[in-house]
Coordinates of all heavy atoms in Angstrom, one line a residue:
M1 N -30.6 41.2 108.8 CA -29.5 41.4 107.8 C -28.2 40.7 108.3 O -27.6 39.9 107.6 CB -29.2 42.9 107.7 CG -28.1 43.2 106.7 SD -28.6 42.6 105.0 CE -27.1 43.1 104.1
T2 N -27.8 40.9 109.6 CA -26.6 40.2 110.1 C -26.8 38.7 110.0 O -25.9 37.9 109.8 CB -26.3 40.6 111.6 OG1 -27.5 41.1 112.1 CG2 -25.2 41.5 111.7
K3 N -28.1 38.3 110.3 CA -28.3 36.8 110.3 C -28.1 36.3 108.9 O -27.5 35.2 108.7 CB -29.8 36.6 110.6 CG -30.0 35.4 111.4 CD -31.4 35.3 111.9 CE -31.7 33.8 112.3 NZ -33.1 33.6 112.4
T4 N -28.5 37.0 107.8 CA -28.2 36.5 106.5 C -26.7 36.4 106.2 O -26.3 35.4 105.7 CB -28.8 37.5 105.4 OG1 -30.0 38.1 106.0 CG2 -29.1 36.8 104.1
I5 N -26.0 37.4 106.6 CA -24.6 37.4 106.4 C -24.0 36.2 107.1 O -23.2 35.4 106.6 CB -23.9 38.7 106.9 CG1 -24.3 39.8 105.9 CG2 -22.4 38.5 106.8 CD1 -23.9 41.2 106.4
R6 N -24.4 36.0 108.4 CA -23.8 34.9 109.1 C -24.1 33.5 108.4 O -23.2 32.7 108.3 CB -24.4 34.9 110.6 CG -23.4 34.1 111.5 CD -24.0 33.9 112.9 NE -24.2 35.2 113.5 CZ -25.2 35.4 114.4 NH1 -25.9 34.4 114.8 NH2 -25.3 36.6 115.0
S7 N -25.3 33.4 108.0 CA -25.6 32.0 107.4 C -24.9 31.9 106.1 O -24.5 30.8 105.7 CB -27.1 31.8 107.2 OG -27.6 32.8 106.4
Q8 N -24.6 33.0 105.4 CA -23.8 32.9 104.2 C -22.4 32.5 104.5 O -21.8 31.7 103.8 CB -23.8 34.2 103.4 CG -25.1 34.4 102.6 CD -25.2 35.7 101.9 OE1 -24.5 36.7 102.3 NE2 -26.1 35.8 101.0
V9 N -21.8 33.0 105.6 CA -20.5 32.7 106.0 C -20.4 31.2 106.4 O -19.6 30.5 105.9 CB -20.0 33.5 107.2 CG1 -18.7 33.0 107.8 CG2 -19.8 35.0 106.8
V10 N -21.4 30.7 107.1 CA -21.5 29.3 107.5 C -21.5 28.5 106.2 O -20.8 27.5 106.1 CB -22.7 29.0 108.4 CG1 -22.9 27.5 108.5 CG2 -22.5 29.7 109.7
L11 N -22.3 28.9 105.3 CA -22.5 28.1 104.0 C -21.1 28.0 103.3 O -20.7 27.0 102.8 CB -23.5 28.8 103.2 CG -23.9 27.9 101.9 CD1 -24.7 26.7 102.4 CD2 -24.8 28.8 101.0
A12 N -20.5 29.2 103.3 CA -19.2 29.2 102.5 C -18.2 28.3 103.2 O -17.4 27.6 102.5 CB -18.6 30.7 102.5
V13 N -18.2 28.3 104.5 CA -17.2 27.4 105.2 C -17.6 25.9 104.9 O -16.7 25.2 104.6 CB -17.3 27.7 106.8 CG1 -16.5 26.6 107.5 CG2 -16.7 29.1 107.1
V14 N -18.8 25.6 105.0 CA -19.2 24.2 104.7 C -18.8 23.8 103.3 O -18.3 22.8 103.1 CB -20.8 24.1 105.0 CG1 -21.2 22.7 104.4 CG2 -21.1 24.2 106.4
V15 N -19.1 24.7 102.4 CA -18.8 24.4 101.0 C -17.3 24.2 100.8 O -16.8 23.2 100.2 CB -19.3 25.5 100.0 CG1 -18.7 25.3 98.6 CG2 -20.8 25.4 100.0
S16 N -16.5 25.1 101.4 CA -15.0 24.9 101.2 C -14.5 23.7 101.9 O -13.6 23.0 101.4 CB -14.3 26.2 101.6 OG -14.5 26.5 102.9
L17 N -15.1 23.3 103.1 CA -14.6 22.1 103.8 C -15.0 20.9 102.9 O -14.2 20.0 102.7 CB -15.4 21.9 105.1 CG -14.8 22.7 106.3 CD1 -15.6 22.4 107.5 CD2 -13.3 22.2 106.5
A18 N -16.2 20.9 102.3 CA -16.6 19.8 101.5 C -15.7 19.6 100.3 O -15.3 18.5 100.0 CB -18.1 20.0 101.0
S19 N -15.3 20.7 99.7 CA -14.4 20.5 98.5 C -13.0 20.1 98.9 O -12.4 19.4 98.2 CB -14.4 21.8 97.6 OG -14.1 22.9 98.4
A20 N -12.6 20.5 100.1 CA -11.3 20.1 100.6 C -11.3 18.6 100.8 O -10.4 17.9 100.3 CB -10.9 20.8 101.9
V21 N -12.4 18.0 101.3 CA -12.5 16.6 101.5 C -12.5 15.9 100.2 O -11.8 14.9 100.0 CB -13.8 16.3 102.3 CG1 -14.0 14.8 102.3 CG2 -13.6 16.7 103.8
C22 N -13.2 16.4 99.3 CA -13.3 15.9 97.9 C -11.9 15.8 97.3 O -11.6 14.8 96.7 CB -14.2 16.7 97.0 SG -15.8 16.1 96.9
L23 N -11.2 16.9 97.4 CA -9.9 16.9 96.7 C -9.0 15.9 97.3 O -8.3 15.2 96.6 CB -9.3 18.3 97.0 CG -9.5 19.3 95.9 CD1 -8.8 20.6 96.3 CD2 -8.9 18.8 94.6
A24 N -9.0 15.7 98.7 CA -8.2 14.8 99.4 C -8.5 13.4 98.8 O -7.6 12.6 98.5 CB -8.4 14.9 100.9
Q25 N -9.8 13.1 98.7 CA -10.2 11.8 98.2 C -9.7 11.5 96.8 O -9.2 10.5 96.5 CB -11.7 11.6 98.3 CG -12.1 11.2 99.7 CD -13.6 11.2 99.9 OE1 -14.3 11.6 99.0 NE2 -14.1 10.6 101.0
S26 N -9.9 12.5 95.9 CA -9.6 12.3 94.5 C -8.1 12.2 94.4 O -7.6 11.4 93.6 CB -10.2 13.4 93.7 OG -9.6 14.6 94.0
G27 N -7.3 12.8 95.3 CA -5.8 12.7 95.2 C -5.4 11.2 95.5 O -4.7 10.7 94.7
G28 N -6.0 10.6 96.5 CA -5.7 9.3 96.9 C -6.1 8.3 95.8 O -5.4 7.4 95.4
E29 N -7.3 8.6 95.2 CA -7.8 7.8 94.2 C -7.0 7.8 92.9 O -6.6 6.8 92.3 CB -9.3 8.2 93.8 CG -9.9 7.4 92.8 CD -11.4 7.8 92.5 OE1 -11.9 8.7 93.2 OE2 -12.0 7.1 91.6
A30 N -6.5 9.0 92.5 CA -5.7 9.1 91.3 C -4.4 8.4 91.5 O -3.9 7.7 90.6 CB -5.4 10.6 91.0
T31 N -3.8 8.5 92.7 CA -2.5 7.8 93.0 C -2.7 6.3 93.0 O -1.9 5.6 92.4 CB -1.9 8.3 94.4 OG1 -1.9 9.7 94.4 CG2 -0.6 7.7 94.6
Y32 N -3.8 5.9 93.6 CA -4.1 4.5 93.7 C -4.2 3.9 92.2 O -3.7 2.9 91.9 CB -5.3 4.2 94.5 CG -5.6 2.7 94.6 CD1 -5.0 1.9 95.6 CD2 -6.5 2.1 93.7 CE1 -5.3 0.5 95.6 CE2 -6.7 0.7 93.7 CZ -6.1 0.0 94.7 OH -6.4 -1.4 94.7
K33 N -5.0 4.6 91.4 CA -5.3 4.2 90.1 C -4.0 4.1 89.3 O -3.8 3.2 88.4 CB -6.3 5.1 89.4 CG -7.6 4.9 90.0 CD -8.8 5.2 89.1 CE -10.0 4.5 89.6 NZ -11.1 5.4 89.9
A34 N -3.1 5.1 89.5 CA -1.8 5.1 88.7 C -0.8 4.1 89.2 O -0.1 3.6 88.4 CB -1.3 6.5 88.7
K35 N -0.7 3.9 90.5 CA 0.4 3.2 91.1 C 0.1 1.9 91.7 O 1.0 1.1 92.0 CB 1.1 4.1 92.2 CG 1.6 5.4 91.7 CD 2.9 5.2 91.0 CE 3.6 6.5 90.6 NZ 4.9 6.3 90.0
C36 N -1.2 1.6 92.0 CA -1.5 0.4 92.8 C -2.5 -0.5 92.1 O -2.5 -1.8 92.2 CB -2.1 0.7 94.1 SG -1.4 2.2 94.9
Q37 N -3.4 0.1 91.3 CA -4.5 -0.7 90.7 C -4.0 -1.8 89.8 O -4.6 -2.9 89.8 CB -5.3 0.3 89.9 CG -6.5 -0.3 89.2 CD -7.4 0.7 88.5 OE1 -7.9 1.6 89.2 NE2 -7.5 0.7 87.2
S38 N -2.9 -1.7 89.2 CA -2.4 -2.7 88.2 C -2.2 -4.1 89.0 O -2.5 -5.1 88.4 CB -1.1 -2.3 87.5 OG -0.2 -2.0 88.5
C39 N -1.8 -4.0 90.2 CA -1.7 -5.3 91.0 C -2.8 -5.5 92.0 O -3.2 -6.6 92.2 CB -0.4 -5.2 91.8 SG 1.1 -5.1 90.7
H40 N -3.4 -4.4 92.5 CA -4.4 -4.6 93.6 C -5.8 -4.5 93.0 O -6.8 -4.8 93.8 CB -4.2 -3.6 94.7 CG -3.0 -3.9 95.5 ND1 -3.0 -4.8 96.5 CD2 -1.7 -3.5 95.4 CE1 -1.7 -4.9 97.1 NE2 -1.0 -4.1 96.4
G41 N -6.0 -4.2 91.8 CA -7.4 -4.1 91.2 C -8.1 -2.8 91.5 O -7.8 -2.2 92.5
S42 N -9.0 -2.4 90.6 CA -9.7 -1.1 90.8 C -10.5 -1.1 92.1 O -10.7 0.0 92.6 CB -10.5 -0.8 89.6 OG -11.5 -1.8 89.4
A43 N -11.0 -2.3 92.5 CA -11.9 -2.3 93.7 C -11.1 -2.9 94.9 O -11.8 -3.4 95.8 CB -13.2 -2.9 93.4
G44 N -9.8 -3.0 94.8 CA -9.1 -3.6 95.9 C -9.0 -5.1 95.9 O -8.4 -5.8 96.8
T45 N -9.5 -5.7 94.8 CA -9.4 -7.2 94.6 C -8.6 -7.4 93.4 O -9.0 -7.0 92.3 CB -10.8 -7.8 94.5 OG1 -11.6 -7.5 95.6 CG2 -10.8 -9.3 94.4
P46 N -7.5 -8.1 93.5 CA -6.7 -8.4 92.3 C -7.3 -9.4 91.4 O -8.2 -10.1 91.8 CB -5.4 -9.0 92.9 CG -5.8 -9.5 94.3 CD -6.9 -8.7 94.7
S47 N -6.9 -9.3 90.1 CA -7.5 -10.3 89.2 C -6.9 -11.7 89.6 O -5.9 -11.7 90.2 CB -7.0 -10.0 87.8 OG -5.6 -10.2 87.7
P48 N -7.7 -12.8 89.3 CA -7.3 -14.1 89.8 C -5.9 -14.4 89.4 O -5.1 -15.0 90.2 CB -8.3 -15.0 89.2 CG -9.5 -14.2 88.8 CD -9.0 -12.8 88.6
G49 N -5.5 -14.1 88.2 CA -4.1 -14.4 87.7 C -3.0 -13.7 88.6 O -2.1 -14.3 89.0
I50 N -3.2 -12.4 88.8 CA -2.3 -11.7 89.6 C -2.3 -12.2 91.1 O -1.2 -12.4 91.7 CB -2.6 -10.2 89.7 CG1 -2.5 -9.6 88.3 CG2 -1.8 -9.4 90.7 CD1 -1.4 -8.7 88.0
A51 N -3.5 -12.5 91.6 CA -3.6 -13.0 92.9 C -2.8 -14.3 93.1 O -2.0 -14.4 94.1 CB -5.0 -13.2 93.3
K52 N -2.9 -15.2 92.1 CA -2.2 -16.4 92.2 C -0.7 -16.3 91.9 O 0.1 -16.8 92.7 CB -2.8 -17.3 91.1 CG -2.7 -18.8 91.5 CD -3.5 -19.6 90.5 CE -2.9 -21.0 90.5 NZ -3.3 -21.7 89.3
M53 N -0.3 -15.5 90.9 CA 1.1 -15.4 90.5 C 1.9 -14.7 91.6 O 3.0 -15.0 91.9 CB 1.1 -14.6 89.2 CG 2.4 -14.7 88.5 SD 2.2 -14.0 86.9 CE 1.8 -12.3 87.2
M54 N 1.3 -13.6 92.2 CA 2.1 -12.8 93.1 C 1.7 -12.9 94.5 O 2.4 -12.3 95.4 CB 2.0 -11.3 92.6 CG 2.6 -11.1 91.2 SD 2.7 -9.4 90.7 CE 3.8 -8.7 91.9
G55 N 0.6 -13.5 94.8 CA 0.2 -13.6 96.2 C -0.4 -12.3 96.8 O -0.2 -12.0 97.9
V56 N -1.2 -11.6 95.9 CA -1.8 -10.4 96.4 C -3.2 -10.8 97.0 O -4.0 -11.5 96.4 CB -2.0 -9.4 95.3 CG1 -2.6 -8.1 95.8 CG2 -0.8 -9.1 94.5
K57 N -3.4 -10.3 98.2 CA -4.7 -10.6 98.8 C -5.7 -9.5 98.6 O -5.3 -8.3 98.5 CB -4.5 -10.7 100.3 CG -3.6 -11.9 100.7 CD -3.6 -12.1 102.2 CE -2.7 -13.2 102.6 NZ -1.6 -12.8 103.4
P58 N -7.0 -9.8 98.5 CA -8.0 -8.7 98.4 C -8.0 -7.9 99.7 O -7.7 -8.3 100.8 CB -9.3 -9.4 98.2 CG -9.1 -10.8 98.7 CD -7.6 -11.1 98.6
V59 N -8.4 -6.6 99.5 CA -8.4 -5.7 100.7 C -9.3 -6.2 101.8 O -9.1 -5.9 103.0 CB -8.8 -4.2 100.2 CG1 -10.2 -4.2 99.7 CG2 -8.5 -3.2 101.3
S60 N -10.3 -7.0 101.4 CA -11.3 -7.5 102.4 C -10.7 -8.7 103.2 O -11.3 -9.1 104.2 CB -12.6 -8.0 101.7 OG -12.2 -8.9 100.7
D61 N -9.5 -9.2 102.9 CA -8.9 -10.3 103.6 C -8.6 -9.9 105.1 O -8.1 -8.8 105.3 CB -7.6 -10.7 102.9 CG -7.0 -12.0 103.4 OD1 -6.4 -12.0 104.5 OD2 -7.2 -13.0 102.7
P62 N -8.9 -10.8 106.0 CA -8.7 -10.5 107.4 C -7.2 -10.1 107.7 O -7.0 -9.2 108.6 CB -9.0 -11.8 108.2 CG -9.8 -12.6 107.2 CD -9.6 -12.1 105.8
D63 N -6.3 -10.7 107.0 CA -4.9 -10.3 107.2 C -4.6 -8.9 106.8 O -3.7 -8.3 107.4 CB -4.0 -11.3 106.4 CG -3.9 -12.7 107.0 OD1 -4.3 -12.8 108.2 OD2 -3.5 -13.6 106.3
I64 N -5.3 -8.4 105.8 CA -5.1 -7.0 105.4 C -5.8 -6.1 106.3 O -5.3 -5.0 106.7 CB -5.6 -6.8 103.9 CG1 -5.0 -7.8 103.0 CG2 -5.4 -5.4 103.5 CD1 -3.5 -7.6 102.7
Q65 N -7.0 -6.5 106.7 CA -7.8 -5.7 107.6 C -7.1 -5.4 108.9 O -7.3 -4.4 109.6 CB -9.2 -6.4 107.9 CG -10.0 -6.5 106.7 CD -10.6 -5.2 106.3 OE1 -11.2 -4.4 107.1 NE2 -10.5 -4.8 105.0
K66 N -6.2 -6.3 109.3 CA -5.5 -6.2 110.6 C -4.5 -5.1 110.5 O -4.0 -4.6 111.6 CB -4.7 -7.5 110.9 CG -5.5 -8.6 111.6 CD -4.6 -9.7 112.2 CE -3.5 -10.2 111.2 NZ -3.3 -11.6 111.3
L67 N -4.0 -4.8 109.3 CA -2.9 -3.8 109.2 C -3.4 -2.4 109.5 O -4.5 -2.0 109.1 CB -2.3 -3.8 107.8 CG -1.7 -5.2 107.4 CD1 -1.3 -5.1 105.9 CD2 -0.5 -5.5 108.2
T68 N -2.5 -1.6 110.1 CA -2.8 -0.2 110.3 C -2.4 0.6 109.1 O -1.6 0.1 108.3 CB -2.0 0.4 111.5 OG1 -0.6 0.3 111.2 CG2 -2.3 -0.4 112.8
A69 N -2.8 1.8 109.0 CA -2.5 2.6 107.8 C -1.0 2.8 107.8 O -0.4 2.8 106.7 CB -3.2 4.0 107.9
D70 N -0.3 3.0 109.0 CA 1.1 3.1 109.0 C 1.9 1.9 108.5 O 2.9 2.0 107.8 CB 1.6 3.4 110.4 CG 1.3 4.9 110.8 OD1 0.9 5.7 109.9 OD2 1.4 5.2 112.0
Q71 N 1.4 0.7 108.9 CA 2.0 -0.5 108.4 C 1.8 -0.6 106.9 O 2.8 -1.1 106.2 CB 1.3 -1.7 109.1 CG 1.7 -1.9 110.5 CD 0.9 -3.0 111.2 OE1 -0.3 -3.1 111.0 NE2 1.6 -3.7 112.1
M72 N 0.7 -0.2 106.4 CA 0.5 -0.3 104.9 C 1.4 0.7 104.2 O 2.0 0.4 103.2 CB -1.0 0.1 104.6 CG -1.9 -1.0 105.0 SD -3.6 -0.6 104.4 CE -4.4 -2.1 104.8
A73 N 1.6 1.9 104.8 CA 2.4 2.9 104.2 C 3.9 2.4 104.1 O 4.6 2.6 103.2 CB 2.4 4.2 104.9
A74 N 4.3 1.6 105.2 CA 5.6 1.0 105.3 C 5.8 0.0 104.1 O 6.9 -0.1 103.5 CB 5.8 0.4 106.6
V75 N 4.7 -0.8 103.8 CA 4.8 -1.8 102.7 C 5.0 -1.0 101.4 O 5.8 -1.4 100.6 CB 3.5 -2.6 102.7 CG1 3.5 -3.5 101.4 CG2 3.4 -3.5 103.9
V76 N 4.3 0.1 101.2 CA 4.5 0.8 100.0 C 5.9 1.4 99.9 O 6.5 1.3 98.8 CB 3.4 2.0 99.9 CG1 3.7 2.9 98.7 CG2 2.0 1.4 99.9
K77 N 6.4 1.8 101.0 CA 7.8 2.4 101.0 C 8.9 1.4 100.8 O 9.9 1.6 100.1 CB 8.0 3.2 102.3 CG 7.7 4.6 102.2 CD 8.3 5.3 103.4 CE 8.0 6.8 103.3 NZ 8.3 7.4 104.6
N78 N 8.7 0.3 101.6 CA 9.8 -0.7 101.7 C 9.6 -1.9 100.9 O 10.5 -2.7 100.7 CB 10.0 -1.1 103.1 CG 10.1 0.1 104.1 OD1 10.8 1.1 103.7 ND2 9.6 0.1 105.2
G79 N 8.4 -2.2 100.4 CA 8.0 -3.4 99.6 C 7.8 -4.5 100.6 O 8.1 -4.5 101.8
K80 N 7.3 -5.6 100.0 CA 7.1 -6.8 100.8 C 7.0 -8.0 99.8 O 6.2 -8.0 98.9 CB 5.8 -6.7 101.6 CG 5.6 -7.9 102.5 CD 4.3 -7.7 103.3 CE 4.2 -9.0 104.2 NZ 2.9 -9.0 104.8
N81 N 7.9 -9.0 100.0 CA 8.0 -10.1 99.1 C 8.0 -9.7 97.6 O 8.9 -9.0 97.2 CB 6.8 -11.1 99.3 CG 6.9 -11.7 100.8 OD1 8.0 -11.8 101.3 ND2 5.8 -11.9 101.4
K82 N 6.9 -10.0 96.9 CA 6.9 -9.6 95.4 C 6.4 -8.2 95.2 O 6.4 -7.8 94.0 CB 6.0 -10.6 94.7 CG 6.6 -12.0 94.6 CD 6.0 -12.9 93.6 CE 6.7 -14.2 93.5 NZ 5.8 -15.3 93.3
M83 N 6.0 -7.5 96.2 CA 5.6 -6.1 96.0 C 6.9 -5.3 96.2 O 7.5 -5.3 97.3 CB 4.5 -5.6 97.0 CG 4.3 -4.1 96.8 SD 2.8 -3.6 97.7 CE 3.1 -1.8 97.7
K84 N 7.3 -4.6 95.1 CA 8.5 -3.8 95.2 C 8.1 -2.5 95.8 O 7.0 -2.1 95.7 CB 9.0 -3.5 93.8 CG 9.4 -4.8 93.0 CD 10.9 -5.0 93.2 CE 11.4 -6.4 92.7 NZ 10.7 -7.6 93.3
P85 N 9.1 -1.8 96.4 CA 8.7 -0.4 96.9 C 8.2 0.4 95.8 O 8.7 0.3 94.7 CB 10.0 0.1 97.4 CG 10.9 -1.1 97.6 CD 10.5 -2.1 96.7
V86 N 7.1 1.1 96.0 CA 6.5 1.9 94.9 C 7.3 3.3 94.9 O 7.2 4.0 95.9 CB 5.0 2.2 95.2 CG1 4.4 3.0 94.0 CG2 4.3 0.8 95.2
A87 N 7.9 3.5 93.8 CA 8.8 4.7 93.7 C 8.0 5.9 93.3 O 6.9 5.8 92.7 CB 9.9 4.4 92.7
G88 N 8.6 7.1 93.5 CA 8.1 8.3 93.0 C 6.9 8.9 93.7 O 6.1 9.7 93.1
L89 N 6.6 8.5 94.9 CA 5.5 9.1 95.7 C 6.0 9.8 96.9 O 6.9 9.4 97.6 CB 4.5 8.0 96.1 CG 3.8 7.2 95.0 CD1 3.0 6.1 95.7 CD2 2.9 8.1 94.2
T90 N 5.3 10.9 97.2 CA 5.6 11.6 98.4 C 4.9 10.9 99.6 O 4.0 10.1 99.4 CB 5.1 13.1 98.4 OG1 3.7 13.0 98.3 CG2 5.7 13.8 97.2
D91 N 5.3 11.2 100.8 CA 4.7 10.6 102.0 C 3.2 10.9 102.0 O 2.4 10.0 102.3 CB 5.3 11.1 103.3 CG 6.7 10.5 103.6 OD1 7.1 9.6 102.8 OD2 7.3 11.0 104.5
Q92 N 2.8 12.1 101.6 CA 1.4 12.4 101.5 C 0.7 11.6 100.5 O -0.4 11.1 100.7 CB 1.3 13.9 101.3 CG -0.2 14.5 101.4 CD -0.7 14.2 102.8 OE1 0.0 14.5 103.8 NE2 -1.9 13.7 102.9
Q93 N 1.3 11.4 99.3 CA 0.6 10.6 98.3 C 0.5 9.2 98.8 O -0.6 8.5 98.5 CB 1.4 10.7 97.0 CG 1.3 12.0 96.3 CD 2.2 12.1 95.1 OE1 3.4 11.8 95.2 NE2 1.7 12.6 94.0
I94 N 1.5 8.6 99.5 CA 1.4 7.3 100.0 C 0.2 7.2 101.0 O -0.6 6.3 100.9 CB 2.7 6.9 100.6 CG1 3.8 6.7 99.6 CG2 2.5 5.5 101.4 CD1 5.2 6.4 100.1
K95 N 0.2 8.2 101.9 CA -0.9 8.2 102.9 C -2.3 8.3 102.2 O -3.2 7.5 102.6 CB -0.7 9.5 103.7 CG -0.9 9.3 105.2 CD -0.4 10.5 105.9 CE -1.4 10.9 106.9 NZ -1.2 12.1 107.6
D96 N -2.4 9.1 101.2 CA -3.7 9.2 100.5 C -4.1 8.0 99.8 O -5.2 7.5 99.8 CB -3.7 10.4 99.5 CG -3.6 11.8 100.2 OD1 -3.8 11.8 101.4 OD2 -3.3 12.8 99.5
A97 N -3.1 7.3 99.1 CA -3.4 6.1 98.3 C -3.7 5.0 99.3 O -4.7 4.2 99.0 CB -2.1 5.7 97.5
V98 N -3.0 4.9 100.5 CA -3.4 3.9 101.5 C -4.8 4.2 102.0 O -5.6 3.2 102.1 CB -2.3 3.9 102.6 CG1 -2.8 3.2 103.8 CG2 -1.0 3.3 102.1
A99 N -5.1 5.4 102.3 CA -6.5 5.7 102.8 C -7.5 5.3 101.8 O -8.6 4.7 102.1 CB -6.6 7.2 103.1
Y100 N -7.2 5.6 100.5 CA -8.2 5.2 99.4 C -8.3 3.6 99.4 O -9.4 3.1 99.4 CB -7.7 5.7 98.1 CG -8.7 5.4 97.0 CD1 -9.9 6.0 96.8 CD2 -8.4 4.3 96.1 CE1 -10.8 5.7 95.8 CE2 -9.3 4.0 95.1 CZ -10.5 4.6 94.9 OH -11.3 4.3 94.0
Y101 N -7.2 3.0 99.5 CA -7.2 1.5 99.4 C -8.0 0.9 100.6 O -8.8 0.0 100.4 CB -5.7 1.0 99.5 CG -5.5 -0.5 99.6 CD1 -5.9 -1.3 98.5 CD2 -5.0 -1.1 100.7 CE1 -5.7 -2.7 98.6 CE2 -4.8 -2.4 100.8 CZ -5.1 -3.2 99.7 OH -4.9 -4.6 99.8
R102 N -7.8 1.5 101.8 CA -8.5 1.0 103.0 C -10.0 1.3 102.9 O -10.7 0.6 103.5 CB -7.9 1.8 104.2 CG -6.5 1.3 104.6 CD -5.9 2.2 105.6 NE -6.5 2.0 106.9 CZ -6.2 1.0 107.8 NH1 -5.2 0.2 107.4 NH2 -6.7 0.9 109.0
G103 N -10.3 2.2 102.1 CA -11.8 2.5 101.9 C -12.5 1.6 101.0 O -13.7 1.6 100.9
L104 N -11.7 0.8 100.2 CA -12.3 -0.1 99.2 C -12.7 -1.4 99.8 O -12.0 -2.3 99.6 CB -11.2 -0.4 98.1 CG -10.7 0.7 97.3 CD1 -9.5 0.2 96.5 CD2 -11.7 1.2 96.3
K105 N -13.6 -1.6 100.6 CA -13.9 -3.0 101.0 C -15.3 -3.2 101.0 O -16.1 -2.4 100.9 CB -13.3 -3.3 102.4 CG -13.3 -2.1 103.3 CD -12.9 -2.4 104.7 CE -13.0 -1.1 105.4 NZ -12.6 -0.8 106.6
Ligands
HEC201 C1 3.8 -4.7 91.0 C2 2.6 -5.0 91.7 C3 2.2 -4.2 92.9 C4 1.9 -2.8 92.9 C5 2.1 -1.8 91.8 C6 1.5 -2.5 94.3 N1 1.4 -3.6 95.0 FE1 0.9 -3.7 97.0 N2 1.2 -5.7 97.0 C7 1.7 -6.5 95.9 C8 2.0 -7.8 96.3 C9 2.5 -9.0 95.4 C10 1.6 -7.9 97.7 C11 1.6 -9.1 98.6 C12 2.9 -9.2 99.4 C13 2.9 -10.3 100.3 O1 2.2 -10.3 101.4 O2 3.6 -11.3 100.0 C14 1.1 -6.6 98.0 C15 0.7 -6.2 99.3 C16 0.2 -5.0 99.7 C17 -0.3 -4.7 101.0 C18 -0.5 -5.6 102.1 C19 0.7 -6.2 102.7 C20 0.4 -7.5 103.2 O3 0.6 -7.8 104.4 O4 0.0 -8.4 102.3 C21 -0.7 -3.4 100.9 C22 -1.3 -2.5 102.0 C23 -0.3 -2.8 99.6 N3 0.2 -3.9 98.9 C24 -0.6 -1.6 99.2 C25 -0.2 -1.1 98.0 C26 -0.4 0.3 97.6 C27 -1.1 1.4 98.4 C28 0.1 0.4 96.3 C29 0.2 1.7 95.5 C30 0.9 2.8 96.1 C31 0.6 -0.9 95.9 N4 0.4 -1.8 96.9 C32 1.2 -1.2 94.7 C33 1.9 -6.0 94.6 C34 1.8 -4.7 94.2

């Protein structure tokens, strides 16, 4: 009997952890889609027109791969060349969007 209860508790913990991870991911994804995708593309590769006009590199570019998550968050906050600072995001939303962007390669 105790064994059954214990395995149910373990299961409940695993399920809630899994859904917390899911939520975190969907948060970053939603922010990315709303605030970044128009320039960076849905899969992290900008459309050829945007890439040429604004100088956006694909996420797979070695220069982008070199950046840390903190450096990317700083770009989102402060802007860089033709990328204006992205307004209206909390630090957490920036972090989540950057994490999502970094996962797209
Ligand atoms: C209006 C278009 C636009 C939007 C929206 C935009 N970016 Fe950018 N982003 C750019 C451009 C242009 C560059 C290239 C800047 C450069 O290196 O000259 C860039 C560069 C970057 C870089 C790499 C910096 C580098 O060294 O090239 C990161 C990381 C980045 N953007 C993340 C984001 C994230 C995350 C969002 C959403 C929160 C976002 N961007 C929204 C246009 C945009």
